[in-house]
Amino acid sequence: MGIIYFTEGAIMNLEDFAKRLPKNFTEQEFVDLMNQVIDLKRIVDLPTAERSALFNGVQYLVDFIMLAQEANGELHTHEGHPVVDYGGPFIPHVLVRPEGVEMDRAALETFGVGEADKYFGDE
């Protein structure tokens, strides 16, 4: 895999991110390493077309990785439905925010660190 530079000054590619993320990482460690791949703050202010293109690239990676996991027998299911494992910080966007809860722009500043506690407590 080649180096993927999403923004100027990126010092790490996604493959390096995967290798350097500790097994038992904190939300802050996750965000700090992601910020070495892409300047997360800049995403908010990208022009719509660029943010859309970035989304398409990231969604492509999600789809490709899921296919690789499926092909390698690594997908998990619960009651016959596929379960996608995710261990990073919770980002409360419209698709995952509890019903009836208004959007809170705070996650754009915290990058999700501590956000799950606001919505789900100490589950």
Side-chain angles (χ1 to χ4, degrees), residues 47-67:
T48 302
E50 289 180 25
R51 195 171 36 252
S52 180
L54 182 59
F55 179 87
N56 289 338
V58 172
Q59 184 62 50
Y60 171 82
L61 287 174
V62 168
D63 293 341
F64 192 80
I65 290 168
M66 287 185 66
L67 179 60

Side-chain angles (χ1 to χ4, degrees), residues 30-44:
F30 185 94
V31 167
D32 290 345
L33 281 175
M34 279 302 302
N35 265 314
Q36 291 183 43
V37 175
I38 184 170
D39 183 345
L40 295 170
K41 283 219 179 263
R42 288 191 59 197
I43 293 172
V44 177

Side-chain angles (χ1 to χ4, degrees), residues 1 4 6 12-13 15 23-24 28-30 35 37 66-67 75 77 81 86 90 92 94 106 117:
M1 173 185 276
I4 302 170
F6 290 118
M12 182 173 35
N13 66 36
E15 189 175 5
K23 182 175 184 168
N24 296 312
Q28 191 62 57
E29 288 173 319
F30 185 94
N35 265 314
V37 175
M66 287 185 66
L67 179 60
L75 283 183
T77 61
H81 300 285
Y86 172 73
F90 177 69
V94 67
D117 293 340

Side-chain angles (χ1 to χ4, degrees), residues 48-123:
T48 302
E50 289 180 25
R51 195 171 36 252
S52 180
L54 182 59
F55 179 87
N56 289 338
V58 172
Q59 184 62 50
Y60 171 82
L61 287 174
V62 168
D63 293 341
F64 192 80
I65 290 168
M66 287 185 66
L67 179 60
Q69 289 174 331
E70 182 180 10
N72 291 324
E74 299 165 348
L75 283 183
H76 305 284
T77 61
H78 177 72
E79 297 179 2
H81 300 285
V83 175
V84 178
D85 293 328
Y86 172 73
F90 177 69
I91 303 293
H93 61 79
V94 67
L95 297 178
V96 297
R97 193 171 47 243
E99 189 174 330
V101 175
E102 292 292 321
M103 181 194 67
D104 180 358
R105 296 181 62 88
L108 296 173
E109 298 296 321
T110 66
F111 306 116
V113 174
E115 293 294 317
D117 293 340
K118 292 180 184 179
Y119 294 88
F120 308 111
D122 294 330
E123 290 185 355

